[in-house]
Amino acid sequence: MAIKRREEPIPALSAGLSHVMMTGLILFAAFPGARPLDQVQRYPAIKVAHTHEASDTSASDGTGSATPPTQAVTAEPVKEEWPEADVAQAREQCMHLLSSVAVEFEMLEPVKKGECGLPAPILLKSVGSAPEVVFDPPVQVNCPMAVALGKWVKSTLQPTAEARFKSQVVRVVGSYGYSCRNIYNLPNAKLSQHALANAIDIGGFALENGRTIRVLRGWGLTERDIIAQAKAKAKAQAEAKAKAKAGGKGKTEIAQKDVKEEPAGDKGEADGARVKKAGAAVTQASLSLPSAKLPKGKKDVPQTDAAAAQPADPQKPTKEALFLRAIHEGACKEFGTVLGPEANDPHRNHFHLDLIPRRGRGYCE
């Protein structure tokens, strides 16, 4: 009878396989959430700055993993700049424009701040020649403004100075150019032309003969001043008249009472005394009237100083007033906006000139 023999597995191999399987089960139980490396999500690297709260003793969330430290992402501020092509083009146009006028200037770096600035600003030092008109201090403007100033100096400023004073202008006093702001610095107003370096303020002019003419003192009375002084004078006269009338009435009643007690022969003398006293009261009231002469550009100057601040005849303009009005009018042919003392109180002490585009003739006041 044939007997079949069954092959048994090698005892050592069986023991090894059993050990491997047991090790795998233990690892699976210890790390149930582990995933293969090819399934791990990868993120781009981000530069972060750790806050002071980050530490090695971070609290656990109960799942066995530590809470990551607090992190703050640092974002670099965006620097406002003009494109290089715009800067190159603006500078080329600037040099072309300034080649037509006598001007001393320094090319500045581009300025960009929100709506303010320009790609090719310049620091204007002087315009004209023989003599040069120096800006004190130098002003930051755009190139078209420098050209317009040069034309105004040649066509109006120097001829008027020569005609009025037999001298020429050598210096612009109190000049002021670029400033990133709204009109009159009001938060809800339009952007000022100063914010585009498209405007200049001028406080006065110095002549070759040493004379200085300032807008504040040289312009004289404005139309607002004349109207205001007329109203003040009329009001003061009305008050003085009412006061004199009230005073005269009271004195008349007292006089009538005194007449009854006086002898008949003294009546004429008493009446004369009363008339003299009433006249003295009116004269004193008239002396207290405000002066018809206002100081140039100043409101709170005592009345004693007002007469000295104005010419003897307020209706007759001075040389300075005629000069300033003439160059103000001439500027209206070169600039889009010209404002001076007649415009409003903020411009009482300077001229504002800008090149804002306008249809036809510029705004001149």
Side-chain angles (χ1 to χ4, degrees):
M1 179 175 169
I3 300 176
K4 293 183 179 181
R5 184 179 177 183
R6 186 176 63 176
E7 296 292 332
E8 295 291 334
I10 302 173
L13 179 60
S14 298
L17 291 174
S18 299
H19 180 72
V20 170
M21 292 177 64
M22 289 299 294
T23 303
L25 290 173
I26 293 172
L27 291 174
F28 181 79
F31 303 95
R35 293 182 295 176
L37 291 177
D38 59 347
Q39 297 182 10
V40 176
Q41 186 175 4
R42 300 181 182 275
Y43 296 92
I46 300 177
K47 292 183 178 180
V48 298
H50 294 276
T51 61
H52 295 291
E53 289 78 14
S55 66
D56 295 334
T57 58
S58 301
S60 172
D61 60 4
T63 61
S65 60
T67 303
T70 306
Q71 297 175 340
V73 179
T74 57
E76 296 196 6
V78 179
K79 187 177 181 180
E80 295 180 299
E81 293 182 343
W82 290 94
E84 292 184 4
D86 291 355
V87 174
Q89 183 179 7
R91 287 182 172 178
E92 182 179 354
Q93 292 175 348
C94 178
M95 298 303 294
H96 177 71
L97 285 172
L98 298 183
S99 65
S100 63
V101 294
V103 57
E104 182 183 358
F105 69 98
E106 178 183 339
M107 187 67 72
L108 300 176
E109 291 298 318
V111 177
K112 180 70 172 174
K113 186 178 180 182
E115 296 182 88
C116 302
L118 68 164
I122 64 170
L123 186 67
L124 184 61
K125 298 179 179 181
S126 70
V127 296
S129 60
E132 290 181 327
V133 178
V134 176
F135 289 86
D136 182 17
V139 285
Q140 187 174 348
V141 295
N142 61 26
C143 296
M145 175 58 67
V147 174
L149 287 168
K151 292 180 178 179
W152 178 56
V153 166
K154 184 176 181 180
S155 65
T156 301
L157 190 62
Q158 297 295 29
T160 306
E162 185 68 34
R164 297 290 178 186
F165 304 107
K166 305 302 180 185
S167 185
Q168 290 188 309
V169 176
V170 294
R171 193 159 49 95
V172 172
V173 181
S175 48
Y176 176 78
Y178 171 78
S179 176
C180 185
R181 62 176 178 82
N182 292 341
I183 297 174
Y184 299 117
N185 290 304
L186 299 175
N188 298 324
K190 294 181 179 179
L191 191 70
S192 170
Q193 290 299 301
H194 283 283
L196 305 176
N198 199 38
I200 185 173
D201 290 345
I202 296 175
F205 307 88
L207 303 182
E208 198 171 23
N209 61 10
R211 190 170 193 164
T212 299
I213 304 166
R214 296 188 179 274
V215 176
L216 177 61
R217 295 186 58 83
W219 187 270
L221 296 177
T222 65
E223 186 178 354
R224 297 188 312 281
D225 296 333
I226 295 173
I227 294 174
Q229 76 170 28
K231 289 181 178 180
K233 183 177 181 180
K235 181 180 179 181
Q237 287 177 339
E239 291 176 352
K241 185 176 180 181
K243 185 177 180 181
K245 185 176 180 180
K249 183 178 179 181
K251 290 182 179 181
T252 301
E253 292 176 353
I254 295 173
Q256 290 176 351
K257 183 178 180 181
D258 293 341
V259 167
K260 296 179 182 179
E261 300 176 355
E262 291 175 354
D266 297 334
K267 182 177 181 181
E269 183 179 352
D271 289 342
R274 284 193 295 275
V275 172
K276 185 176 181 181
K277 290 180 180 179
V282 173
T283 303
Q284 187 64 32
S286 65
L287 290 175
S288 65
L289 291 177
S291 173
K293 301 163 187 162
L294 298 179
K296 298 177 182 178
K298 297 183 180 179
K299 295 181 179 179
D300 301 328
V301 177
Q303 296 297 330
T304 54
D305 295 338
Q310 293 293 329
D313 183 1
Q315 303 300 323
K316 184 178 180 181
T318 63
K319 287 184 177 182
E320 289 83 357
L322 292 173
F323 168 76
L324 291 171
R325 282 166 169 77
I327 63 174
H328 177 278
E329 183 179 356
C332 298
K333 301 174 184 178
E334 303 292 346
F335 300 92
T337 306
V338 178
L339 301 175
E342 296 292 339
N344 48 37
D345 275 344
H347 291 92
R348 184 181 285 274
N349 65 349
H350 70 276
F351 290 159
H352 168 91
L353 315 175
D354 71 46
L355 287 176
I356 188 172
R358 296 186 186 275
R359 294 181 180 179
R361 186 171 176 137
Y363 183 81
C364 189
E365 190 174 2

